[in-house]
Amino acid sequence: MLFDINRHEKLTESLWDEKCVRSEISAIIDDIQQHSLPNASWPTHQLDAESYSNSGPKWSAYAGAAGTIHASQILRRYGYQVADYSDLLETVYQSFLENPDVSVEPGLQIGELGILMPALLAQPENEELSKRVIRCMEQTLHLPLYEVTSGQTGMMHAALSLYRSTGKNCWKTLFIKGANSLMEHWLQDENTGEWLWQSQVFGPKRHYYGACHGLTGNANILLEGADLLPNDYVELIIKRTVSTLEISAKHSGNLANWILCTKPDIDKLLVQWCHGAAGIVTAMARTPQSSSPESERLERLLQQTGELVWEAGPLVKGSNICHGTSGNGYSFLYLYKRWGRTVWLDRARKFAMHAIEQCQKDRQRYGVGRFSMWTGDAGLAIFLHHCLNPEQAAIPGLDLF
C-alpha cells in the first residue's frame, strides 16, 4: 500500500451542489464574525490547543488570528461580505511578541512574517511595516531551514508576491538572495544521485521530499520566480527535481508516492499537502511544460500521483488545507488548471462536498468552529470558492496572498 488506510475515510456520496457550497462559505464567514474576541483573536480550537504547549490565544498565520484575518482579506477581495479585520493585525503582532503561542521566529507560517504580510498587504505604503518585513526576510536567510514554514522558501513566496504586486526592487533582491541560498545548499547524494536539501526544521537534520519542508516546495518557488534568475536555471531545476522524484518514488501499478524524508529515514507514506503526494502535485503542477524528456516524465509522475490522492480518499484529520481534505482537493484543482480535463475538477468538487460534511460534523462535535487558515475553516472557505471558480485556484498564504 502506498498510503495508510487508517488516515483516510470513505468519500461522501453527496453530489456537487453549488448552492450548498455557497451556503457553507457564508456559514464559515458568519462563524468568524460572530466569534471574534476583544483581544484580536478567536477561540482556540481543541485540536489546535493540543498541538501547542501554550493553550492561550493563537496568533500565527498557520493556526491563529493572522491567518484568519488574511483569509478574510482574500474572501473580501473575492466579493464576499466579510468584515475587514486588518486593523487588528498590529495588536496581533504585539501580542505574539509579548505572549507567543510558539517561539518567536521570523518565518512565514508560524512566525512574524506571517503576521506582518497581511498587515503590509492592507497598507502597502507603510514604511515601518516594510522595514519589519524586510528584517524578518533577511533573518530567514541565516537559518538552516530550507522550507516553507520557517525558512527561506516561505520568505521567497512572500517576497515574490510583493515584487509582483508593487514592482519594488527590495522584494526582488530578497527573492534572489533566497534563491541563491537554496541553490548553494542544494546538494547531490553521492550514493543515490538524489538532489536534496538538509533542513533542521524539527530539530534533527533531515532531507524531505514534500511541498512544505522539502524538495518539491523549494523547486516550486524557484520555478515561480525563474524570470528573476539566470536563464539556465529552469532547465537545471527541472532536471534535478524530476530525477530525484524518479529515483525516490514508490510505485504500485499506476500510482506513485514518496516517503516522508530520508537521512534519517522516516518511511511513512502520507497523502497530505504538507507531506506526500498531494503537496507534491500542487508544488509541481505549475512547472513549465515543454517537449523535453524531463517534462514528459514529470507528466507521468503527476498523473500517477494525482491518481494516488484520489485512490486514498479524504483525510480523517478533517477539512483543512495542511493535512486535511481541502489540501488534497487542491491537488485536483492544480491538475485541472494544468491539463483542462474535467475529471480533475469533478474530483476536487467531490472532495469539497466531503470537506463540508467534515466541517459541519466537527463544528457540532466540538461546539465551535476552527478559526484558522491552514488548520481550519477559513482555509476551507477559500478552497470552496476555488472549486466554484477553478481558474483562480491557488493555495492561500503561499501561492495566493
Side-chain angles (χ1 to χ4, degrees):
M1 291 289 291
L2 295 182
F3 61 93
D4 182 349
I5 59 173
N6 295 317
R7 291 178 176 270
H8 298 267
E9 60 189 34
K10 184 180 178 181
L11 184 61
T12 181
E13 295 182 1
S14 298
L15 301 177
W16 171 251
D17 184 335
E18 184 173 319
K19 183 178 179 181
C20 174
V21 172
R22 293 188 184 280
S23 175
E24 184 61 23
I25 295 172
S26 295
I28 292 170
I29 289 171
D30 289 345
D31 205 28
I32 290 171
Q33 295 184 150
Q34 290 172 14
H35 289 87
S36 62
L37 300 175
N39 66 351
S41 74
W42 278 263
T44 299
H45 196 276
Q46 178 181 327
L47 296 176
D48 289 319
E50 292 171 356
S51 301
Y52 297 89
S53 57
N54 184 336
S55 60
K58 300 292 177 282
W59 309 113
S60 71
Y62 180 74
T68 302
I69 295 170
H70 191 183
S72 297
Q73 289 177 335
I74 293 170
L75 289 167
R76 277 176 62 85
R77 201 159 70 234
Y78 284 144
Y80 294 94
Q81 298 299 309
V82 54
D84 185 358
Y85 298 103
S86 301
D87 60 346
L88 300 180
L89 285 162
E90 181 62 24
T91 300
V92 172
Y93 180 62
Q94 295 301 331
S95 298
F96 171 75
L97 296 179
E98 294 167 11
N99 187 28
D101 47 319
V102 293
S103 59
V104 174
E105 61 162 74
L108 180 65
Q109 285 193 331
I110 58 176
E112 292 181 64
L113 186 55
I115 302 172
L116 294 171
M117 269 298 290
L120 186 58
L121 292 169
Q123 303 178 62
E125 302 305 319
N126 188 314
E127 300 239 348
E128 177 58 32
L129 282 173
S130 293
K131 288 178 182 177
R132 291 178 183 174
V133 169
I134 290 169
R135 172 184 56 77
C136 289
M137 289 183 173
E138 291 279 6
Q139 287 179 353
T140 66
L141 295 169
H142 306 291
L143 300 173
L145 308 172
Y146 312 103
E147 53 85 63
V148 165
T149 310
S150 306
Q152 292 93 327
T153 313
M155 176 278 284
M156 290 167 66
H157 276 278
L160 185 62
S161 176
L162 289 170
Y163 176 65
R164 300 290 194 217
S165 62
T166 69
K168 293 182 178 179
N169 280 329
C170 61
W171 310 122
K172 175 181 176 180
T173 298
L174 282 158
F175 176 86
I176 292 172
K177 285 183 177 180
N180 289 337
S181 175
L182 287 184
M183 295 303 292
E184 179 184 351
H185 292 90
W186 197 3
L187 304 177
Q188 186 175 32
D189 187 299
E190 61 183 19
N191 295 317
T192 66
E194 298 173 67
W195 286 90
L196 294 167
W197 283 270
Q198 179 175 272
S199 175
Q200 288 183 263
V201 65
F202 296 124
K205 297 177 180 178
R206 292 172 178 161
H207 300 71
Y208 292 90
Y209 295 102
C212 191
H213 305 300
L215 169 73
T216 52
N218 293 353
N220 174 35
I221 191 56
L222 288 168
L223 292 170
E224 285 299 301
D227 57 305
L228 309 182
L229 304 175
N231 292 334
D232 60 347
Y233 270 29
V234 171
E235 183 180 357
L236 177 64
I237 293 163
I238 293 174
K239 278 187 174 181
R240 288 183 177 183
T241 306
V242 173
S243 171
T244 300
L245 288 174
E246 288 189 319
I247 292 169
S248 54
K250 308 296 181 184
H251 291 280
S252 177
N254 68 333
L255 309 177
N257 200 2
W258 287 261
I259 62 171
L260 195 72
C261 65
T262 184
K263 288 192 172 181
D265 288 346
I266 299 181
D267 59 3
K268 288 181 181 178
L269 288 162
L270 301 181
V271 187
Q272 303 172 177
W273 173 80
C274 51
H275 294 294
I280 287 173
V281 169
T282 61
M284 299 307 297
R286 300 199 298 175
T287 302
Q289 293 174 280
S290 71
S291 59
S292 70
E294 288 80 17
S295 185
E296 292 176 7
R297 301 204 304 266
L298 178 59
E299 295 298 293
R300 288 196 295 271
L301 283 174
L302 286 172
Q303 178 72 37
Q304 293 168 348
T305 311
E307 291 292 348
L308 185 279
V309 179
W310 176 250
E311 180 77 16
L315 283 148
V316 171
K317 282 191 172 184
S319 62
N320 65 83
I321 293 175
C322 183
H323 41 263
T325 300
S326 293
N328 286 21
Y330 265 119
S331 69
F332 304 140
L333 288 179
Y334 275 53
L335 291 177
Y336 173 69
K337 289 182 70 175
R338 185 176 184 86
W339 293 328
R341 300 173 195 158
T342 56
V343 61
W344 298 108
L345 178 57
D346 292 341
R347 289 176 173 184
R349 288 175 166 175
K350 192 73 172 178
F351 269 44
M353 298 305 297
H354 191 97
I356 289 171
E357 293 177 7
Q358 287 180 305
C359 181
Q360 292 174 345
K361 288 176 183 176
D362 282 348
R363 196 180 294 130
Q364 185 174 17
R365 176 184 177 185
Y366 294 102
V368 66
R370 197 169 181 180
F371 304 102
S372 65
M373 178 185 284
W374 285 94
T375 68
D377 304 347
L380 167 61
I382 296 172
F383 169 65
L384 295 177
H385 170 83
H386 287 152
C387 285
L388 292 166
N389 304 274
E391 71 284 353
Q392 299 175 348
I395 294 179
L398 192 70
D399 298 332
L400 170 67
F401 283 95

